[in-house]
Amino acid sequence: MEWNASEILVDYTGGTKAMVAGTVLGLTGRGVTFAYVGGEQRSELGQVISGSEKIRHQEDPIDRHIEEDWTGFYQSWNAWDFSSSLRFLERILQRPLRDTERRFYKRLQSIAEGMQLWDLFQHKEAARKLSRAVSEAVAITEAWEDSVKVQVLRTLEEQVKHLAILAQKISVDEISPELLGDLLANAQRRADQGRYDDAITRLYRSIELAMEIELYDKLKIRIRDPKTFPEDLKSFRGDFRESRGIRENLEVANDLLSRRGHQNTLTRTLLEAYQGQLGGLMERRNQSILAHGLNPVKQEDFVKFWEFLNQVGFTASPPWPRWPSKA
């Protein structure tokens, strides 16, 4: 049964201690409003003086615990720690809740699971889980007229639409700019967490991915699919190898594009930058323990790499919404 707090008032004034305790325990988490009659003035015996009575409303004790778990949820979410967010949601769902509250937190649980999948590049699985859950959570918060939660979820709903497009392209092996934007946003989240080695590794991959996207966009060539090379370019099929460095693969890609009359390309810009700033940035990544070295990447290394990519036209997908403290 679902209770409506605006219709039920529990006044435990005058009850014995056992009665008060039983009433509060029995109705905690039911959505009722608790109240007792106190007073502005009391006699020497501590009794409320007639005419000075005042009704004092009390919060449902369960709300305080839910509020603490909610704080843990949004702080974990805002740090992109969805495993912790899910643990706080599980604690909330173990408490007595009204039906609409339980539906909301269940949808939020699915959303956090979907965000975790998205963060792990499992785009198709994330899109399936998020598409319905976000829309239903929006509907619930709109019915509550909770504008703060609605705003966060509405923003996420728009981003999930773009995720669905990305997932569809991935399902047919289409190399798309959306994937590059998603990778860059993922790199920024790793930097937000202070995981700069992970972040700069993603930026390194973004260089190669940008080259692949340009080849596919202009020539419909997938460097790992020999069948996509035109007859007159088949001699290039073996030139792209993972064992080679990105600079060498940029040289091959630039040659391919030039042969088809594409001169002012991003691939050429990156190749030329390799002789200067980009080469230094790549070397810094190579010194990372996640690459070939033993030196951890610092924040300033990531920032310099990020700024370079912005200068040459790389654009990250919009950042995921964070929950405000008063949500």
Side-chain angles (χ1 to χ4, degrees):
M1 176 179 179
E2 185 172 352
W3 299 81
N4 190 321
S6 65
E7 297 177 356
I8 300 175
L9 179 70
V10 178
D11 183 355
Y12 52 79
T13 309
T16 65
K17 291 182 175 62
M19 291 171 59
V20 171
T23 300
V24 172
L25 286 172
L27 295 174
T28 289
R30 300 281 185 169
V32 304
T33 300
F34 292 95
Y36 76 95
V37 178
E40 299 288 348
Q41 302 178 44
R42 292 182 179 270
S43 67
E44 293 180 356
L45 298 177
Q47 297 174 329
V48 175
I49 296 176
S50 180
S52 69
E53 294 88 350
K54 183 176 182 179
I55 297 177
R56 304 184 187 278
H57 293 93
Q58 305 292 308
E59 67 177 3
D60 188 325
I62 201 69
D63 291 343
R64 178 61 57 87
H65 297 293
I66 291 176
E67 182 179 343
E68 292 173 355
D69 289 333
W70 175 260
T71 298
F73 161 78
Y74 77 70
Q75 289 179 343
S76 298
W77 173 295
N78 291 349
W80 315 128
D81 182 358
F82 297 105
S83 294
S84 293
S85 289
L86 285 165
R87 287 195 290 271
F88 283 109
L89 286 173
E90 186 61 36
R91 288 175 56 171
I92 292 174
L93 285 165
Q94 290 174 356
R95 303 187 187 283
L97 297 169
R98 287 166 283 192
D99 288 350
T100 54
E101 289 177 329
R102 185 164 299 279
R103 287 198 298 273
F104 171 71
Y105 288 117
K106 288 292 290 183
R107 299 303 176 273
L108 203 55
Q109 188 177 50
S110 294
I111 291 170
E113 291 170 349
M115 299 300 284
Q116 189 171 46
L117 290 169
W118 192 353
D119 205 37
L120 294 171
F121 303 112
Q122 298 180 41
H123 300 101
K124 291 183 284 187
E125 295 83 352
R128 282 195 293 267
K129 184 171 284 286
L130 285 167
S131 296
R132 180 178 177 182
V134 174
S135 296
E136 292 180 353
V138 168
I140 293 171
T141 53
E142 285 182 335
W144 289 348
E145 298 183 347
D146 189 330
S147 60
V148 177
K149 288 186 176 67
V150 168
Q151 182 177 359
V152 172
L153 292 168
R154 277 291 187 195
T155 300
L156 184 58
E157 187 175 39
E158 289 302 312
Q159 293 177 335
V160 169
K161 292 177 183 177
H162 295 289
L163 169 64
I165 294 172
L166 171 58
Q168 177 59 34
K169 291 184 176 182
I170 290 175
S171 69
V172 295
D173 294 326
E174 181 177 338
I175 304 171
S176 68
E178 290 86 355
L179 181 57
L180 177 59
D182 187 78
L183 176 62
L184 292 169
N186 191 290
Q188 182 62 69
R189 290 194 295 275
R190 299 292 77 77
D192 289 346
Q193 295 173 317
R195 295 166 56 184
Y196 300 111
D197 287 270
D198 288 332
I200 209 167
T201 296
R202 285 155 170 76
L203 299 189
Y204 180 91
R205 167 60 178 148
S206 74
I207 298 290
E208 183 182 48
L209 183 57
M211 174 196 72
E212 293 180 35
I213 290 169
E214 191 160 55
L215 282 174
Y216 182 79
D217 178 57
K218 298 185 182 303
L219 305 180
K220 297 304 177 187
I221 286 177
R222 295 189 182 92
I223 64 175
R224 295 176 182 81
D225 186 352
K227 299 189 298 295
T228 62
F229 283 74
E231 189 67 30
D232 62 324
L233 299 178
K234 283 186 176 179
S235 61
F236 287 87
R237 288 182 300 185
D239 290 340
F240 291 102
R241 297 191 299 274
E242 292 183 3
S243 60
R244 301 181 66 179
I246 289 182
R247 183 179 63 183
E248 289 78 10
N249 283 335
L250 284 171
E251 290 172 346
V252 176
N254 181 62
D255 197 0
L256 277 170
L257 290 162
S258 297
R259 286 170 180 262
R260 283 290 191 265
H262 301 288
Q263 301 297 329
N264 298 319
T265 63
L266 177 59
T267 296
R268 175 169 294 228
T269 297
L270 294 171
L271 180 58
E272 292 174 349
Y274 225 112
Q275 306 305 317
Q277 185 178 7
L278 180 57
L281 295 170
M282 289 296 210
E283 179 58 30
R284 185 64 195 87
R285 172 266 174 186
N286 291 337
Q287 296 171 8
S288 166
I289 197 168
L290 295 183
H292 314 297
L294 297 174
N295 299 315
V297 173
K298 298 178 181 179
Q299 181 180 14
E300 53 264 33
D301 300 321
F302 170 81
V303 171
K304 289 178 182 177
F305 208 143
W306 184 264
E307 289 176 346
F308 167 79
L309 294 179
N310 286 335
Q311 290 170 6
V312 298
F314 283 49
T315 303
S317 299
W320 290 344
R322 283 183 162 97
W323 294 89
S325 59
K326 295 184 180 180

